[in-house]
Amino acid sequence: MNVKHSHIVWEGSSWRLRVDTLVAPDGTELDKGFIEHPGAVVLIPVRGTAVSTSPEQTASPEILMISQYRHAIGDTLLELPAGTRHWHEDWLECAQRELREETGYRADKIVLIGEFWPSPGLSNELMRLCLATGLHPDPLPGDVDEEIEVKPMPLSELVDMARNGQILDAKSIVGLLKTADYLAKQP
Amino acid sequence: MNVKHSHIVWEGSSWRLRVDTLVAPDGTELDKGFIEHPGAVVLIPVRGTAVSTSPEQTASPEILMISQYRHAIGDTLLELPAGTRHWHEDWLECAQRELREETGYRADKIVLIGEFWPSPGLSNELMRLCLATGLHPDPLPGDVDEEIEVKPMPLSELVDMARNGQILDAKSIVGLLKTADYLAKQP
């Protein structure tokens, strides 16, 4: 597909809509909308420093989940904390900022454990999974449009919920399953 | 958040952009963009009728994956076949249509095995996972803007790729892991 025209139709505080006029090999023209997005962090805040790999022997690590009203779908979802990067913001600074805004904690250590495209058919948003450990209270004010409640929950229970359909948010399903895999491989 | 204004900024062939002026409890006003989306099917086409639950004893079932160029990200991704529902289209008819367009097969049986929100922060797109079995050749022409190659691959290998970061498309990671769980529970 060749691009004949390309223009920005709307620009908001965090992303913009670009519409491309595409020309197919047979000459057909088609307007398609694409979201130009700076990317987002998905946080996995692990409470406490002891991360066990053997759930039979010790308690499952606790993850700080959030319950958040989502205006787009008109419902409240259980999710991993996450947030859109500012254009040109350093990814690690973004992770620390969103963690402080959404959970009220700062992390001693943030490790990138994976990344994925949530909607590659229409957006170039890249999501990066950030495991956050060594949490200390250090809150930042949240966004005015966000209604968030922090819910600490055991990882083992969350993995079950991600697998059996009780968690409906894609980034949280991917993030929780990848976290369980990652922690199981730690010495 | 109260909605002060709401208007459609752009409408394409499959979804539209709505911009809401939201008013926070402190009186702050904020324009936010939301995608109004009819939803999408994510297909898991299983080749052959024999679906084994015991990978040690028999070969892993084969899934028809697709390799597709994604204009939004400027790269080719390995994905489960998927497609946007037409507004008011029956979900099962949508699944059969997209299966025929993207893989060239019709399915004797399509079972809904899960659903999730790929981007609930900005879109009301719901994705429904459709396991398709009993495949027979019955192609439909694909969309003019899609460049697709069908790639049959063993489920066991795909599950490894979903877990180790070789598959980067969120719906495919969720779909493959849920498929492995679903098939393992079948008698």
Side-chain angles (χ1 to χ4, degrees):
Chain A
M1 302 288 287
N2 291 314
V3 180
K4 189 176 173 185
H5 301 295
S6 185
H7 64 290
I8 302 297
V9 166
W10 180 79
E11 177 146 16
S13 58
S14 52
W15 51 267
R16 53 186 176 247
L17 175 68
R18 187 185 81 230
V19 175
D20 288 357
T21 303
L22 301 173
V23 185
D26 69 357
T28 312
E29 291 190 10
L30 176 71
D31 276 358
K32 282 203 81 171
F34 297 100
I35 290 179
E36 294 190 351
H37 196 287
V41 292
V42 181
L43 297 152
I44 307 108
V46 182
R47 185 126 86 172
T49 51
V51 169
S52 168
T53 62
S54 134
E56 298 78 27
Q57 287 168 22
T58 52
S60 177
E62 204 168 47
I63 308 296
L64 301 186
M65 299 293 289
I66 61 170
S67 174
Q68 179 168 24
Y69 181 77
R70 290 303 200 171
H71 186 76
I73 64 168
D75 206 352
T76 298
L77 291 181
L78 183 69
E79 303 179 35
L80 286 166
T84 299
R85 191 170 70 102
H86 300 158
W87 297 99
H88 310 298
E89 185 180 24
D90 177 81
W91 286 87
L92 190 61
E93 284 173 21
C94 171
Q96 201 72 265
R97 176 179 58 75
E98 288 288 348
L99 182 65
R100 294 173 64 199
E101 287 179 8
E102 300 207 338
T103 71
Y105 290 91
R106 167 186 286 282
D108 284 340
K109 191 175 173 189
I110 292 179
V111 179
L112 180 71
I113 66 164
E115 58 186 23
F116 56 89
W117 307 102
S119 290
L122 59 85
S123 169
N124 69 347
E125 179 177 9
L126 180 68
M127 286 190 153
R128 292 192 150 162
L129 291 168
C130 299
L131 189 77
T133 53
L135 305 182
H136 307 283
D138 188 12
L140 273 180
D143 292 340
V144 290
D145 62 317
E146 290 181 339
E147 301 164 46
I148 288 175
E149 183 188 352
V150 177
K151 299 206 164 185
M153 297 176 72
L155 177 60
S156 56
E157 181 185 342
L158 291 167
V159 167
D160 288 345
M161 292 172 74
R163 293 173 70 159
N164 71 17
Q166 287 184 80
I167 291 177
L168 291 173
D169 169 52
K171 68 178 177 300
S172 303
I173 299 171
V174 174
L176 289 163
L177 297 177
K178 285 197 182 264
T179 297
D181 278 357
Y182 178 85
L183 293 180
K185 284 181 191 154
Q186 297 310 296
Chain B
M1 302 288 287
N2 291 314
V3 180
K4 187 176 174 185
H5 301 295
S6 185
H7 64 290
I8 302 298
V9 167
W10 180 79
E11 176 146 16
S13 57
S14 51
W15 51 267
R16 51 185 177 246
L17 175 68
R18 188 187 79 230
V19 175
D20 288 358
T21 303
L22 300 174
V23 186
D26 69 357
T28 312
E29 291 191 10
L30 175 72
D31 275 359
K32 283 202 80 169
F34 296 100
I35 291 178
E36 294 190 350
H37 196 287
V41 293
V42 180
L43 298 153
I44 307 108
V46 183
R47 185 127 86 172
T49 51
V51 169
S52 169
T53 61
S54 129
E56 299 78 26
Q57 287 170 24
T58 52
S60 177
E62 204 169 47
I63 308 295
L64 301 186
M65 299 292 290
I66 62 170
S67 173
Q68 179 168 23
Y69 181 77
R70 289 302 200 172
H71 186 75
I73 64 169
D75 205 353
T76 298
L77 291 181
L78 183 68
E79 302 178 37
L80 286 166
T84 300
R85 191 169 71 102
H86 300 157
W87 297 98
H88 310 298
E89 186 180 24
D90 177 82
W91 285 87
L92 191 62
E93 283 172 22
C94 171
Q96 202 71 265
R97 175 179 58 75
E98 287 289 346
L99 182 65
R100 294 173 65 199
E101 286 179 10
E102 298 206 341
T103 72
Y105 290 91
R106 167 187 287 281
D108 283 341
K109 191 176 173 189
I110 291 179
V111 179
L112 180 72
I113 65 163
E115 58 186 22
F116 56 89
W117 307 102
S119 290
L122 60 85
S123 169
N124 69 347
E125 179 178 9
L126 180 68
M127 285 190 155
R128 294 193 148 160
L129 291 169
C130 300
L131 189 77
T133 54
L135 305 181
H136 306 283
D138 188 11
L140 275 179
D143 292 340
V144 292
D145 62 318
E146 291 181 339
E147 301 164 45
I148 288 176
E149 183 188 353
V150 177
K151 299 206 164 185
M153 298 176 71
L155 177 60
S156 55
E157 182 184 342
L158 290 167
V159 167
D160 288 345
M161 293 172 74
R163 293 173 70 160
N164 70 18
Q166 287 184 77
I167 292 178
L168 291 173
D169 170 51
K171 68 179 176 299
S172 304
I173 298 171
V174 173
L176 290 163
L177 297 178
K178 287 198 181 263
T179 297
D181 278 358
Y182 177 85
L183 293 180
K185 285 180 191 155
Q186 297 309 296

